[in-house]
Amino acid sequence: RRQDVLTVTPWLAPIVWEGTFNSEILDSAYRPLNLTIGVTAFAIGKYTRFVGHFLESAEKHFMKGYRVNYYIFTDNPETIPDVQLQPGRRFVIVPIKKYPSWQEISMRRMEAINKHIAETSHQEVDYLFCLDIDMVFYNAWGPETLGDIVAAIHPGYFNVPRSQFPYERRSSSAAYIPDGEGDFYYGGAVFGGLVKKVYEFTKTCHMTILMDKANGIMAAWQEESHLNRHFLSHKPSKVLSPEYLWDDRKPKPPEIHLIRFSTVDKNYKEVRD
Amino acid sequence: RRDVLVLTPWLAPIVWEGTFNRDILNAQYMQKNLVTGVVTFAVKKYWFFIEGFMSSANKYFLAGHQVNFYLFTDNPEQISHLQMAAENHLFVITVQNHSQWQDISMSRMDIISRYILSQFQYEVDYLYSIDIDVQLFEHIGVEIIDTLVGTISSWQYTARRESKSYETRTESQAAIPKGEGDFYYTASFYGGSVAEVYKLTRACFKGVMEDRKNDIEARWHDESHLNKYLLYHKPTRLLSPEYYWDEEL
């Protein structure tokens, strides 16, 4: 058990840290349900270079022993490498259009995920995780992460007072969170839950993103700002600790016993061009 | 709260004072327009507890939200006029009494499952079975609402696994193998979604009937069967012994 960190939110959602759960108990509860877990990841433009490493590491660490469908959204299907998958695991390329700026690409994810759920994945998966592609799995990511609505704490802000959270602070934006409000700063690189719930909140986030567009404003951290606004009013039923969304450029603090999923070091300027 | 366990190994929260914010939870509960029911039994001499239970529950149980109280009794005439809060409803249902209190106790499971099927599933979303011989002294609110909820028995809270009161005789359907068991749950306060409570009460009553056929009775009657069920169907939320404290302790 962990006494050094908060393990339950004030609305009684568990915060998942190493040491708070027993994988065997969870596996024995979830395996018999014959679930299929979906993963969406966007590899647009130069970001296709991250697909191979992402998938190889996922095969080693992500939901081992469960059926998994990887949905790779890309504008460049020919550049996606062929990765060897374990039995029960599938890989599907979802062709999408490339938008002119990286911010736009990032924000259109909500719409693309929502559309894809409606057309395809709602019939194919029980749970869906939406992950950034420029990341690698280093340790186990298992059924402890499953829940109705799942969000992850951003690694840069888990130990920082609420006033420093980079929420959108302009009241003209639909993602606005006033001073003094807010539970956590959630990272846009990891979110998920029951496919029905992901459908609902990607739709809401996309609506608020469009509202801002109509008002000529773009939120401070794009869809991450909208996600944070949404999860403030519609609290996640499970929160993942920064073990599940780490940034390798950060020194590892004592609270982080295990890094499971982390950014790949890259030259942001070069890869976003 | 660092002094107590607040999360089970399967990531179900254990509800203690200090772990939750009732305002946030109330807002969530109201968003969903839920109705919760309470089932309680006052058979034979237990009619004496009705007034104390109903007046305190009416005041402290999910105050401000609609609660349907289903009171099963063999003594409906003994119920003096009970003043109910505007949002609450009281349904008095007459039942047969049995010769021994253990029988009454165990047939509760059967009665609850039958009434869920015929009535409760249409009237409530969540259902809690609470013993009548309790009085609430503090608010019990929506922090208890979840899919399958067990309460840790105050008697057993500090007991180590080997000394817990599980049924161990393998001839009983309620038997829990030595060395197993997460917590010891009290049969005096459990509940959850109407669907889950139905499954639980059906399974427990099946175990009771099977034992009866084999001429064995579990050590702590329906509570033993409850513990077996919750070992293999883990609760999604646990209530700490704050939620059912025996004054004799």
Side-chain angles (χ1 to χ4, degrees):
Chain A
R1 87 150 115 149
R2 296 289 295 267
Q3 292 176 299
D4 56 324
V5 288
L6 187 68
T7 57
V8 180
T9 71
W11 58 95
L12 296 170
I15 305 175
V16 187
W17 297 88
E18 180 65 8
T20 57
F21 61 93
N22 178 316
S23 296
E24 274 166 33
I25 297 182
L26 288 165
D27 268 330
S28 65
Y30 281 104
R31 286 267 178 89
L33 303 176
N34 260 325
L35 303 165
T36 304
I37 317 294
V39 176
T40 66
F42 287 70
I44 313 282
K46 293 190 187 142
Y47 277 74
T48 51
R49 70 177 65 164
F50 299 112
V51 176
H53 211 12
F54 175 93
L55 287 176
E56 278 161 18
S57 65
E59 284 298 288
K60 284 208 208 78
H61 300 292
F62 181 83
M63 296 288 177
K64 275 201 91 95
Y66 292 81
R67 290 210 307 265
V68 174
N69 289 357
Y70 299 101
Y71 301 104
I72 307 294
F73 292 67
T74 184
D75 60 331
N76 223 335
E78 319 82 57
T79 60
I80 304 289
D82 203 4
V83 176
Q84 189 73 290
L85 300 181
Q86 301 281 321
R89 298 162 82 102
R90 282 200 310 142
F91 166 94
V92 178
I93 291 186
V94 183
I96 63 162
K97 123 185 195 161
K98 181 182 179 176
Y99 284 90
S101 71
W102 70 264
Q103 295 94 332
E104 183 83 32
I105 291 170
S106 193
M107 295 206 286
R108 288 282 176 178
R109 289 193 308 162
M110 292 293 179
E111 178 186 42
I113 292 167
N114 180 265
K115 198 157 165 283
H116 187 254
I117 293 175
E119 289 170 1
T120 314
S121 62
H122 80 274
Q123 297 175 94
E124 300 182 345
V125 304
D126 303 288
Y127 290 89
L128 187 66
F129 284 99
C130 304
L131 307 177
D132 272 8
I133 194 83
D134 54 349
M135 315 269 294
V136 170
F137 292 90
Y138 294 102
N139 276 291
W141 177 307
E144 71 281 359
T145 61
L146 297 176
D148 284 13
I149 302 174
V150 183
I153 297 174
H154 191 293
Y157 302 97
F158 79 97
N159 240 345
V160 138
R162 179 196 277 163
S163 52
Q164 291 179 37
F165 291 169
Y167 292 142
E168 173 54 63
R169 297 297 188 185
R170 293 166 295 173
S171 54
S172 48
S173 165
Y176 171 58
I177 293 178
D179 271 320
E181 287 186 39
D183 306 308
F184 299 95
Y185 191 74
Y186 302 108
V190 170
F191 58 87
L194 286 170
V195 74
K196 178 172 111 144
K197 295 287 181 186
V198 178
Y199 176 79
E200 286 165 12
F201 76 72
T202 49
K203 171 142 280 190
T204 316
C205 282
H206 182 61
M207 291 290 118
T208 56
I209 288 170
L210 286 183
M211 276 162 62
D212 273 9
K213 224 174 182 310
N215 289 323
I217 186 169
M218 184 174 72
W221 287 101
Q222 296 83 46
E223 80 280 11
E224 186 174 88
S225 306
H226 290 270
L227 199 72
N228 271 278
R229 172 70 250 182
H230 182 80
F231 286 150
L232 178 57
S233 340
H234 303 82
K235 305 209 187 288
S237 62
K238 184 172 276 186
V239 176
L240 305 181
S241 69
E243 295 167 5
Y244 293 86
L245 170 45
W246 191 248
D247 182 344
D248 260 345
R249 293 168 300 177
K250 295 194 163 6
K252 200 162 84 135
E255 297 92 334
I256 306 288
H257 295 180
L258 201 61
I259 292 171
R260 302 173 196 268
F261 188 56
S262 182
T263 50
V264 172
D265 209 2
K266 61 190 158 294
N267 180 334
Y268 280 94
K269 200 159 178 293
E270 186 265 325
V271 78
R272 279 171 176 170
D273 250 320
Chain B
R1 293 294 296 264
R2 285 173 205 236
D3 55 325
V4 289
L5 188 67
V6 297
L7 208 55
T8 69
W10 59 92
L11 296 172
I14 304 175
V15 186
W16 295 87
E17 183 64 21
T19 59
F20 63 93
N21 178 319
R22 199 174 275 140
D23 291 334
I24 299 179
L25 292 171
N26 272 330
Q28 289 182 321
Y29 185 86
M30 293 199 288
Q31 252 179 3
K32 300 183 218 161
N33 258 323
L34 300 167
V35 180
T36 296
V38 171
V39 163
T40 190
F41 290 76
V43 179
K44 300 224 261 194
K45 293 210 198 77
Y46 281 74
W47 66 262
F48 178 75
F49 295 105
I50 293 176
E51 177 142 6
F53 175 87
M54 285 309 306
S55 63
S56 64
N58 194 41
K59 186 166 163 205
Y60 287 122
F61 190 85
L62 258 61
H65 301 287
Q66 180 188 344
V67 180
N68 288 1
F69 290 93
Y70 301 104
L71 173 58
F72 289 86
T73 182
D74 58 345
N75 235 328
E77 327 80 57
Q78 288 285 5
I79 298 173
S80 54
H81 179 68
L82 293 166
Q83 200 50 313
M84 299 296 291
E87 63 272 8
N88 294 340
H89 301 105
L90 172 63
F91 299 87
V92 180
I93 304 166
T94 310
V95 284
Q96 282 273 12
N97 73 44
H98 290 269
S99 41
Q100 294 188 282
W101 76 263
Q102 296 95 318
D103 282 340
I104 296 163
S105 186
M106 301 220 267
S107 68
R108 288 193 305 182
M109 292 289 186
D110 181 41
I111 291 173
I112 293 172
S113 68
R114 284 192 288 109
Y115 273 81
I116 288 176
L117 214 50
S118 63
Q119 183 179 347
F120 303 158
Q121 62 166 317
Y122 305 110
E123 299 181 352
V124 300
D125 304 290
Y126 291 89
L127 188 69
Y128 289 80
S129 170
I130 306 180
D131 274 5
I132 192 106
D133 56 349
V134 301
Q135 279 208 37
L136 281 65
F137 296 103
E138 287 286 343
H139 282 283
I140 290 186
V142 298
E143 66 277 6
I144 69 169
I145 305 296
D146 206 327
T147 312
L148 182 61
V149 183
T151 304
I152 299 171
S153 168
S154 43
W155 281 103
Q156 296 282 317
Y157 180 60
T158 49
R160 283 172 50 229
R161 191 180 268 158
E162 309 81 70
S163 62
K164 291 210 207 331
S165 309
Y166 299 134
E167 173 58 67
T168 48
R169 294 168 296 169
T170 51
E171 301 78 44
S172 166
Q173 296 300 309
I176 288 178
K178 217 164 179 275
E180 285 187 39
D182 307 304
F183 298 91
Y184 191 79
Y185 304 103
T186 172
S188 305
F189 189 177
Y190 65 87
S193 70
V194 124
E196 287 301 318
V197 178
Y198 177 75
K199 289 196 279 198
L200 182 157
T201 49
R202 285 277 296 173
C204 286
F205 190 64
K206 259 185 76 177
V208 163
M209 291 308 286
E210 193 62 30
D211 273 8
R212 208 166 268 178
K213 265 191 8 216
N214 298 323
D215 209 23
I216 183 169
E217 185 160 330
R219 191 165 166 200
W220 290 105
H221 321 291
D222 57 344
E223 191 168 86
S224 303
H225 292 273
L226 177 77
N227 271 277
K228 169 98 184 242
Y229 185 84
L230 292 179
L231 174 59
Y232 296 110
H233 304 82
K234 310 255 182 248
T236 59
R237 188 168 296 197
L238 267 55
L239 304 182
S240 68
E242 290 167 357
Y243 286 82
Y244 183 75
W245 192 259
D246 194 329
E247 278 287 296
E248 284 182 45
L249 268 169

